[in-house]
């Protein structure tokens, strides 16, 4: 009997920062102590090994180091983790292996060693090309740091790198945002993620806004910025492929596509989330506990976030799939879940097509350009 | 035996401790074991227990051995403590020979209590004064006694100080009931006259009446007749409540109990009606019976259009238990199919709506409540209008009359000024002002019913820090300068938002309503223009700007669950919306129209 291997993406969470940004609500601690980082990576290695005992018939297609600030890790740690993954699971030879990098934490030798270890894609947290805006965001790097790291990429012929940008920064004008975009385009990246600044209620910045210490951009400005982003980037050869993501052809982020296509992924590290066999889990995000448990042969406590019924899986796939500009293929979904989407969600689909937020063409259901920035209005109708 | 029966009511303001005192009486007389005792035993509905307000306690029969060594049967027949149900108060009192007047030692007499005591006095009931909550730190039993003597003429030396909570003074209350309240008069051999003072629907036995036999007697199997309708029934069960239903063979003159007679509809057991026997019928019914008429009307619409039939069934079922509820189907261009419902007052409306939503799992939208207007047309004919959408064209109207009430407000004298201001704002006409004690005042005003329906009571409470109490009775119709205001969304009149308003207040109110709608209508795909107008004249305008952003910019593996929760919340929010054309309007909008001050 032949069992087809299940493709999975592997996510490694590195919850350390030199200085946590005031708009971020991901799990991370302000600590970059070498010993702590080493211990943590050892624990991650233990977790991967333990998982390989239980998971069979999988094929790793992408690996992504996210954070936090993964570029704080020295190359031995990156290599150690990558080697462990390769020892523990079959890994596709062409697998995309990404490391998120803060421009201020990486130099030429480190980059060489990362490449040596197998990293083939960098995602740079550039955020802005204005030092003033960077300081509003509480970033540790300056605009020059971005230019320096980009220069390194070009010198080393690394094409596959992404720049993360943020718009809607307090005080930012549409013009200044366009200037940032132009500078980003000049860097000739393969990929640009342009994110609207959206604050979790627990972030420092949200509290500052609530107390009127800073003033957030108004909705119209934000919407205008988004429109300009699409126009500018599309005009420069980038394809808009997800609500906030743009890439040159062939350079979509393979790892992130796994999320939006509702496919399986394994998360390792404190606070990492996994999605496998229709269930979502999260590792308890306590760093000290995590290191202690894993290095002493125990397991980290895991919380099940979701155990989805068929109906919820369908809803999940639609909600995530509609984030992609290509949308979802109705026939494919009908087959994958043996249902009739048009019957099940006919009213929601028709309503939103009428409102001009959705479109249906050649078997694909997708958001219209107008629908992108109003997508919650559409997506909430598909919640199970 | 008749000599050893005592029938009494408790008259008390909300929160003055009626239910607690009833609990204590049940406990001391041994009607309930401590094991059976739960707080506020006689509050029938969950809603009552939850809101901490007692609309009406169920009747109960207690056995009490008095200090004179004799055994007495004491029937407690309660009165509802809210103005909406004042007709029922009068009927409950009519079933008794005496009443306990319970006044909170920290609050003093309240307006409603006063009205009910006067009603009891008119019926020649023996009043026993009780000052409750003497255990509280702020209690001033002597001042309150003084007030009771001054205002009601009850000898302050006869007033019993108690703490129902701690069980202090309850024995004295029981002795006073036995000694001061006269036994019922009435001849067991005379033709039957039994007063219905309450009724409810039981799915197995049909309508159950709570009755007080005034004369004659009633036995199982007997044929009876309702004197208001002439309808005849055969008695299938009779019994007493002690406090559980206990069947007996007969109820004699002076006794209180329940009766079932295979009556299919609670409408045939009208509160205040007289039951007599078919064999030897009484010549005349007991005095004072009236039909109860709803005074407040509003539309109730299911949020989901296909819940219309379920709403009809639910109303039918509630009607079985509540003869005063009226409903008939109506259609609205904006809201689809629903029912126009009539209620005794706003509390009654709220209770019914809440029960429909809670017990029948319906999500309902209520339009702004309206009173009944009398419109004299130019051809001298008269029409009654309780739905703004039936308002005749202005050129056909000669004059409009609206119902007025006489309101009694009791308040500490520090607040008289602010209370009078409020009454003036509500188009009130000052009648009289009387001092009850040196620092408590009774103010009498004539006010339009429509003005006190919505936010008057809230306004009164907030302006007097909760110290004012209000009672009112409808005094009649008077001519008023009223107009119909239409509300338009993107140029289309939303019929369910129309309301009637006094001409002098029209502009102010229109602006407030439009502003409020601008605030509560969420931003939509397109700009929404909100306008208010009389006929074709627009007098207020606001707009809800188009929604530009509703997006989750980031959604990756780690936070899909969290992001979905946000969408779930949004979906829940949509459920509270009514789609009118392309516009989503929150269901509160409809009630809000006339509730401007309470909300802002």
């Amino acid at each position: 009997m032949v069992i087809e291997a299940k493709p999975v993406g592997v996510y490694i969470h590195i919850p350390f920062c030199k200085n946590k940004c005031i708009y971020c609500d991901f799990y991370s601690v302000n600590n970059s102590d070498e010993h702590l980082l080493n211990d943590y990576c050892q624990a991650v290695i233990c977790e991967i090994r333990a998982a390989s005992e239980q998971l069979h018939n999988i094929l790793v297609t992408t690996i992504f180091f996210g954070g936090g600030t993964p570029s704080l890790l020295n190359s031995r740690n990156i290599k150690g983790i990558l080697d462990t993954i390769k020892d523990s699971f079959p890994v596709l030879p062409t697998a995309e292996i990404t490391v998120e990098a803060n421009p201020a934490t990486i130099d030429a030798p480190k980059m060489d060693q990362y490449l040596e270890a197998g990293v083939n894609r960098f995602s740079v947290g550039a955020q802005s090309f204005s030092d003033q805006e960077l300081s509003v965001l509480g970033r540790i790097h300056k605009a020059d740091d971005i230019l320096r790291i980009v220069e390194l990429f070009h010198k080393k012929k690394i094409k596959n790198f992404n720049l993360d940008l943020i718009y809607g920064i307090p005080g930012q004008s549409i013009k200044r945002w366009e200037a940032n975009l132009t500078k980003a385009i000049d860097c000739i990246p393969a990929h640009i993620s342009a994110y609207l600044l959206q604050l979790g209620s627990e972030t420092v910045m949200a509290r500052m806004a609530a107390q009127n210490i800073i003033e957030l951009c108004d909705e119209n400005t934000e919407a205008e910025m988004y429109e300009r982003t699409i126009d500018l980037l599309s005009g420069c050869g980038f394809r808009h492929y997800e609500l906030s993501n743009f890439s040159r052809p062939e350079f979509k982020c393979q790892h992130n596509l796994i999320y939006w296509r509702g496919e399986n992924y394994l998360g390792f590290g404190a606070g990492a989330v996994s999605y496998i066999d229709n269930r979502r889990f999260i590792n308890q995000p306590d760093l000290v506990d995590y290191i202690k448990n894993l290095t002493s042969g125990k397991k980290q406590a895991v919380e099940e976030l979701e155990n989805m019924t068929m109906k919820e899986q369908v809803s999940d796939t639609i909600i995530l799939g509609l984030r992609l500009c290509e949308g979802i293929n109705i026939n494919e979904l009908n087959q994958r879940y043996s249902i009739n989407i048009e019957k099940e969600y006919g009213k929601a689909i028709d309503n939103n097509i009428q409102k001009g937020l959705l479109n249906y063409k050649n078997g694909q259901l997708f958001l219209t350009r107008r629908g992108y920035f109003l997508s919650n209005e559409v997506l909430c109708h598909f919640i199970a | 035996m008749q000599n050893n029966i005592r029938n009494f009511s408790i008259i008390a303001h909300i929160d003055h401790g009626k239910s607690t005192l009833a609990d204590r009486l049940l406990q001391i007389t041994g009607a309930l074991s401590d094991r059976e005792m739960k707080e506020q035993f006689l509050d029938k509905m969950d809603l009552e227990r939850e809101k901490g307000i007692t609309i009406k306690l169920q009747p109960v029969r207690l056995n009490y051995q008095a200090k004179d060594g004799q055994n007495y049967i004491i029937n407690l027949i309660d009165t509802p403590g809210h103005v909406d149900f004042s007709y029922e108060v009068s009927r409950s009192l009519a079933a008794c020979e005496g009443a306990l007047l319970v006044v909170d030692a920290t609050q003093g007499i309240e307006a409603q209590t006063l009205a009910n005591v006067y009603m009891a006095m008119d019926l020649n009931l023996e009043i026993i004064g009780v000052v409750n909550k003497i255990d509280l730190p702020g209690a001033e039993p002597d001042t309150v006694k003084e007030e009771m003597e001054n205002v009601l003429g009850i000898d302050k030396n006869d007033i019993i100080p108690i703490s129902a909570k701690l069980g202090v003074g309850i024995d004295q209350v029981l002795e006073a009931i036995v000694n001061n309240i006269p036994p019922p008069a009435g001849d067991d051999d005379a033709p039957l006259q039994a007063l219905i003072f309450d009724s409810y629907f039981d799915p197995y036995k049909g309508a159950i009446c709570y009755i007080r036999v005034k004369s004659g007697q009633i036995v199982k199997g007997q044929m009876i007749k309702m004197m208001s309708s002439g309808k005849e029934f055969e008695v299938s069960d009779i019994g007493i409540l002690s406090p559980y239903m206990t069947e007996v063979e007969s109820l004699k003159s002076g006794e209180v109990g329940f009766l079932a007679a295979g009556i299919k509809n609670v409408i045939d057991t009208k509160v205040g009606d007289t039951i007599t026997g078919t064999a030897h019928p009484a010549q005349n019914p007991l005095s004072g019976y009236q039909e109860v008429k709803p005074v407040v009307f509003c539309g109730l619409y299911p949020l989901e259009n296909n819940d219309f039939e379920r709403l009809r069934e639910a109303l039918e079922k509630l009607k079985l238990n509540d003869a005063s509820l009226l409903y008939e189907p109506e259609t609205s261009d904006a809201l689809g199919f629903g029912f126009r419902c009539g209620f005794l007052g706003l509390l009654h409306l709220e209770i019914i709506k809440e029960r429909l939503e809670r017990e029948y799992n319906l999500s309902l939208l209520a339009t702004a409540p309206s009173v009944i207007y009398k419109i004299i047309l130019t051809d001298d004919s008269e029409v009654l209008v309780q739905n703004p959408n039936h308002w005749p064209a202005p050129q056909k109207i000669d004059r409009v009359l609206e119902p007025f009430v006489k309101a009694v407000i009791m308040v500490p004298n520090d607040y008289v000024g602010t209370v009078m201001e409020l009454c003036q704002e509500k188009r009130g006409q000052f009648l009289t002002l009387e001092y009850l004690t040196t620092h408590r005042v009774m103010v009498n005003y004539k006010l339009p019913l429509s003005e006190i329906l919505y936010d008057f009571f809230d306004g009164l409470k907030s302006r007097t820090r909760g110290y004012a109490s209000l009672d009112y009775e409808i005094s009649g119709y008077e001519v008023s300068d009223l107009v119909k205001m239409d509300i338009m969304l993107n140029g289309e009149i939303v019929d369910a938002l129309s309301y009637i308003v006094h001409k002098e207040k029209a502009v102010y109110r229109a602006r407030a309503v439009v502003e409020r709608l601008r605030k509560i209508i969420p931003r939509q795909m397109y700009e929404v223009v909100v306008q208010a107008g009389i006929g074709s004249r627009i007098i207020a305008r606001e707009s809800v700007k188009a929604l530009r952003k509703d997006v989750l910019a980031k959604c990756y593996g780690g936070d899909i669950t969290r992001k979905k929760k946000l969408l779930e919340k949004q979906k829940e929010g949509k459920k509270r919306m009514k789609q009118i054309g392309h516009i989503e309007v929150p269901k509160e909008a409809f009630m809000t129209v006339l509730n401007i001050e309470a909300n802002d």
Side-chain angles (χ1 to χ4, degrees):
Chain A
M1 192 171 79
V2 179
I3 299 174
E4 202 176 323
K6 191 186 294 173
V8 298
V10 169
Y11 176 81
I12 311 289
H13 192 57
I14 308 298
F16 303 97
C17 289
K18 269 195 178 154
N19 194 10
K20 207 172 154 162
C21 304
I22 58 171
Y23 59 88
C24 171
D25 62 354
F26 286 111
Y27 174 62
S28 173
V29 295
N30 277 341
N31 198 332
S32 51
D33 176 73
E34 182 91 19
H35 293 291
L36 181 64
L37 263 59
N38 287 340
D39 289 348
Y40 181 75
C41 290
Q42 276 313 307
V44 170
I45 287 171
C46 293
E47 193 190 2
I48 297 167
R49 289 214 179 104
S52 73
E53 307 283 315
Q54 291 177 0
L55 292 161
H56 304 284
N57 303 316
I58 64 168
L59 171 66
V60 175
T61 56
T62 64
I63 300 171
F64 195 103
F65 288 85
T69 313
S71 54
L72 286 174
L73 297 187
N74 61 39
S75 59
R76 280 191 312 283
N77 283 330
I78 294 276
K79 185 166 161 40
I81 291 171
L82 284 177
D83 288 349
T84 308
I85 296 173
K86 287 172 186 162
D87 287 348
S88 310
F89 304 104
V91 177
L92 200 69
T94 56
E96 173 193 277
I97 302 175
T98 307
V99 173
E100 281 184 342
N102 180 299
T105 59
I106 218 160
D107 54 14
K110 198 175 193 176
M111 194 179 289
D112 283 333
Q113 289 157 6
Y114 273 28
L115 293 170
E116 188 103 340
V119 173
N120 55 26
R121 183 175 183 271
F122 288 89
S123 176
V124 179
Q127 318 309 4
S128 164
F129 286 88
S130 146
D131 285 347
Q132 186 265 331
E133 286 173 2
L134 288 169
S135 96
V136 170
L137 291 172
R139 300 289 301 186
I140 56 166
H141 71 274
K142 297 262 190 282
D144 281 348
D145 294 322
I146 309 170
L147 299 178
R148 200 170 305 126
I149 194 176
V150 167
E151 204 181 304
L152 280 177
F153 290 145
H154 290 305
K155 217 187 246 169
K156 294 179 192 303
K157 308 252 184 291
I158 300 169
K159 272 209 234 156
N160 196 0
F161 70 92
N162 164 57
L163 296 180
D164 270 355
L165 297 174
I166 293 180
Y167 62 94
I169 298 169
Q172 193 176 47
S173 63
I174 294 171
K175 256 203 161 129
R176 288 211 358 228
W177 167 239
E178 282 181 321
N180 278 338
L181 271 176
T182 312
K183 282 186 185 153
I185 293 164
D186 289 345
C187 293
I188 324 178
H191 191 285
I192 290 179
S193 299
Y195 297 117
L196 170 67
L197 180 69
Q198 284 187 308
L199 299 171
S201 54
E202 293 305 307
T203 56
V204 177
M205 212 166 182
R207 284 198 293 271
M208 287 166 73
Q211 292 165 19
N212 293 320
I213 298 169
I214 50 166
E215 198 186 338
L216 300 173
C217 289
D218 72 83
E219 208 172 297
N220 287 328
T221 308
E222 291 172 339
E224 199 52 40
M225 286 174 171
Y226 185 63
E227 293 300 318
R228 304 282 178 97
T229 309
I230 297 174
D231 288 342
L232 244 165
L233 292 180
S234 310
C236 293
F238 288 90
R239 296 216 178 135
H240 187 198
Y241 76 99
E242 193 261 0
L243 287 180
S244 304
N245 284 285
F246 301 82
S247 80
R248 299 197 182 282
E250 314 305 319
F251 284 99
K252 289 179 187 173
C253 177
Q254 298 303 316
H255 183 79
N256 289 338
L257 282 173
I258 287 174
Y259 300 140
W260 300 319
R261 288 179 177 154
E263 290 162 7
N264 293 304
Y265 53 91
L266 294 171
F268 297 108
V273 175
S274 300
Y275 175 60
I276 193 123
D277 298 332
N278 309 316
R279 294 158 83 183
R280 269 200 188 90
F281 302 96
I282 182 165
N283 280 343
Q284 282 302 304
D286 185 305
L287 201 59
V288 181
D289 267 8
Y290 179 79
I291 296 174
K292 208 168 65 193
N293 285 335
L294 271 304
T295 48
S296 63
K298 281 188 265 175
K299 285 183 108 177
Q300 174 71 342
V302 157
E303 187 196 338
E304 184 177 273
L305 295 172
E306 292 179 81
N307 183 356
M308 295 196 284
T309 61
M310 178 71 93
K311 205 172 162 161
E312 287 167 330
Q313 290 166 42
V314 174
S315 139
D316 225 57
T317 312
I318 298 175
I319 286 167
L320 293 167
L322 284 176
R323 295 186 67 86
L324 293 170
C325 300
E326 67 185 21
I328 49 176
N329 187 291
I330 297 290
N331 283 336
E332 221 175 272
L333 273 192
N334 284 347
Q335 270 173 25
R336 180 164 160 191
Y337 296 108
S338 349
I339 55 153
N340 185 340
I341 300 256
E342 280 147 307
K343 206 170 143 195
E344 201 77 18
Y345 291 103
K347 208 173 138 194
I349 293 174
D350 289 348
N351 261 335
N352 284 301
I353 289 178
Q354 246 175 37
K355 284 185 187 166
L357 301 178
L358 264 185
N359 207 347
Y360 184 59
K361 229 185 234 168
N362 306 327
Q364 291 287 126
L365 186 69
F366 53 95
L367 289 171
T368 61
R369 174 153 174 173
R370 179 149 190 264
Y372 295 144
F373 220 55
L374 296 170
S375 52
N376 289 354
E377 288 289 311
V378 179
L379 301 183
C380 71
H381 291 284
F382 292 94
I383 281 280
Chain B
M1 180 185 119
Q2 198 172 313
N3 270 331
N4 285 22
I5 297 176
R6 299 291 182 272
N7 297 318
F8 79 104
S9 284
I10 302 180
I11 296 172
H13 191 72
I14 293 166
D15 284 343
H16 282 201
K18 179 171 71 175
S19 300
T20 316
L21 175 57
D23 284 353
R24 237 18 102 227
L25 293 173
L26 255 69
Q27 224 172 5
I28 285 182
T29 56
L32 285 179
S33 66
D34 289 345
R35 187 177 53 79
E36 290 170 303
M37 196 68 208
K38 61 177 168 180
E39 291 274 299
Q40 327 248 296
F41 180 85
L42 299 176
D43 286 359
K44 277 180 288 192
M45 282 192 281
D46 285 346
L47 205 61
E48 293 188 345
R49 227 173 258 138
E50 204 171 291
K51 287 197 165 178
I53 55 158
T54 307
I55 296 154
K56 190 161 54 178
L57 302 174
Q58 70 176 55
V60 65
R61 171 167 169 159
L62 310 168
N63 292 305
Y64 175 63
Q65 189 179 30
K67 296 213 168 107
D68 63 11
Q70 295 195 51
N71 288 314
Y72 290 88
I73 292 168
I74 300 178
N75 291 303
L76 162 57
I77 297 164
D78 194 33
T79 59
H82 193 276
V83 64
D84 282 7
F85 307 99
S86 58
Y87 172 71
E88 292 191 37
V89 176
S90 75
R91 297 300 86 201
S92 293
L93 292 174
C96 300
E97 281 77 36
L100 282 187
L101 163 62
V102 181
V103 180
D104 187 324
T106 66
Q107 305 285 325
I109 305 172
E110 309 282 6
Q112 216 139 24
T113 321
L114 190 70
N116 290 352
V117 176
Y118 285 150
M119 218 185 273
M121 287 174 165
D122 286 346
L123 292 162
N124 288 321
L125 263 55
E126 180 66 32
I127 313 270
I128 298 171
V130 171
V131 176
N132 190 19
K133 303 196 188 178
I134 54 165
D135 55 301
L136 290 186
E140 291 183 52
D142 292 333
T143 316
V144 172
K145 280 183 189 175
E146 193 104 3
E147 190 176 279
M148 289 164 78
E149 184 172 271
N150 289 348
V151 178
L152 298 165
I154 300 170
D155 188 336
K156 65 180 172 195
N157 298 310
D158 295 340
I159 296 170
I160 309 168
I162 67 161
S163 162
K165 197 169 106 196
L166 303 180
V168 175
I170 310 300
D171 286 341
Q172 272 171 279
V173 172
L174 283 163
E175 285 298 315
I177 291 170
V178 167
N179 295 327
N180 300 359
I181 296 176
D187 184 352
D188 287 348
D189 302 322
L192 172 66
Q193 279 181 314
L195 173 72
I196 302 176
F197 62 85
D198 200 1
S199 65
Y200 73 95
F201 189 77
D202 178 281
Y204 303 105
K205 293 180 173 164
I208 308 260
C209 311
Y210 291 144
I211 56 166
R212 155 73 200 268
V213 182
K214 285 280 190 177
S215 65
Q217 52 182 300
I218 192 161
V219 295
K220 211 169 158 173
Q222 184 180 354
M223 286 302 291
I224 53 163
K225 182 167 82 176
M226 302 294 168
M227 292 190 80
S228 73
S229 65
K231 285 192 183 166
E232 296 183 3
F233 301 96
E234 185 185 334
V235 178
S236 59
D237 300 276
I238 47 174
I240 55 169
L241 294 128
S242 60
Y244 301 109
M245 282 182 146
T246 311
E247 285 198 31
V248 295
E249 279 311 305
S250 69
L251 286 174
K252 293 197 165 61
S253 174
E255 287 195 279
V256 172
F258 69 86
L259 166 155
I263 304 167
K264 295 284 180 297
N265 201 325
V266 93
I267 293 174
D268 291 325
T269 60
K270 289 175 184 144
V271 169
D273 200 357
T274 304
I275 296 174
T276 190
T278 52
H280 303 286
Q283 290 301 307
N284 297 305
L286 298 160
S287 64
Y289 171 72
Q290 318 167 353
E291 290 273 350
V292 208
K293 289 196 190 80
V295 291
V296 183
F297 292 80
C298 81
L300 287 181
Y301 289 84
L303 223 50
E304 291 291 334
N305 287 334
N306 44 18
D307 276 345
F308 175 76
E309 277 308 319
R310 282 184 52 224
L311 175 57
R312 181 202 294 279
E313 284 163 23
L315 281 166
E316 269 167 19
K317 282 190 188 141
L318 280 190
K319 171 93 184 166
L320 288 177
N321 248 326
D322 185 348
S324 55
L325 167 70
L326 282 191
Y327 64 92
E328 57 180 38
E330 73 169 2
T331 16
S332 150
D333 292 339
L335 305 179
F337 294 102
F339 291 92
R340 193 77 189 165
C341 303
F343 306 94
L344 298 174
L346 215 57
L347 178 73
H348 189 212
L349 184 163
E350 275 169 30
I351 290 171
I352 295 289
K353 178 169 176 273
E354 199 159 328
R355 288 187 65 189
L356 287 168
E357 296 198 309
R358 211 187 269 211
E359 295 168 26
Y360 298 91
N361 196 23
L362 289 158
S363 189
L364 297 178
L365 188 158
T367 63
S370 167
V371 300
I372 305 176
Y373 297 98
K374 254 183 213 172
I375 301 177
I376 314 295
L377 300 176
T378 43
D379 64 2
D380 263 357
S381 63
E382 177 187 300
V383 285
L384 297 179
V385 173
Q386 39 91 341
N387 181 343
N389 294 306
H390 299 158
W391 200 255
Q395 65 275 15
K396 285 193 177 163
I397 298 176
D398 180 64
R399 60 191 191 277
V400 180
L401 294 87
E402 67 174 326
F404 274 70
V405 300
K406 262 168 112 172
V408 180
I409 299 160
M410 292 175 112
V411 67
N413 57 357
D414 295 351
Y415 299 110
V416 172
T418 178
V419 166
M420 290 176 73
E421 254 171 47
L422 176 67
C423 292
Q424 294 308 133
E425 282 168 26
K426 298 292 180 185
R427 299 192 278 133
Q429 298 161 32
F430 173 77
L431 299 175
T432 59
L433 186 147
E434 290 165 45
Y435 273 85
L436 305 174
T437 62
T438 48
H439 57 275
R440 290 246 301 167
V441 173
M442 180 163 81
V443 192
N444 287 287
Y445 256 91
K446 190 156 80 176
L447 286 152
L449 176 62
S450 65
E451 293 282 350
I452 65 164
L453 270 187
Y454 316 112
D455 48 14
F456 184 77
F457 196 59
D458 291 335
L460 195 61
K461 285 279 168 195
S462 66
R463 288 182 192 213
T464 63
R465 295 171 50 208
Y467 280 116
S469 62
L470 163 76
D471 188 65
Y472 62 84
E473 57 179 0
I474 293 186
S475 59
Y477 275 82
E478 290 185 25
V479 173
S480 273
D481 199 359
L482 299 169
V483 290
K484 178 191 176 198
M485 185 74 66
D486 287 319
I487 301 292
M488 282 148 278
L489 296 181
N490 283 350
E492 298 278 338
I493 291 178
V494 179
D495 56 1
L497 285 172
S498 298
Y499 61 93
I500 305 303
V501 62
H502 194 265
K503 215 172 196 169
E504 275 172 21
K505 290 185 160 191
V507 174
Y508 159 77
R509 201 128 249 165
R511 287 196 185 132
V513 167
V514 161
E515 168 66 14
R516 174 130 199 97
L517 286 171
R518 182 184 68 78
K519 280 190 195 151
I520 69 169
I521 293 175
R523 297 172 69 179
Q524 331 243 327
M525 302 293 112
Y526 303 92
E527 183 183 40
V528 178
V529 176
V530 187
Q531 292 167 302
I534 303 169
S536 57
R537 195 162 59 92
I538 302 298
I539 57 176
R541 180 192 193 277
E542 288 281 348
S543 78
V544 183
K545 297 267 175 284
L547 179 72
R548 291 293 307 271
K549 173 185 76 166
D550 189 3
V551 65
L552 297 166
K554 271 185 165 184
C555 184
Y556 295 99
D559 58 3
I560 291 172
T561 309
R562 197 161 36 136
K563 296 285 158 76
K564 277 200 304 194
K565 292 225 168 86
L566 294 175
L567 291 172
E568 257 161 50
K569 238 186 182 169
Q570 191 163 350
K571 184 187 174 191
E572 284 308 306
K574 295 252 183 233
K575 281 190 190 157
R576 294 185 303 107
M577 300 286 171
K578 185 80 191 175
Q579 188 93 20
I580 296 179
H582 288 297
I583 304 166
E584 283 174 345
V585 183
K587 65 175 186 169
E588 309 85 64
F590 299 89
M591 206 60 170
T592 291
V593 169
L594 289 170
N595 215 358
I596 296 303
E597 276 144 78
N599 283 295
D600 286 330

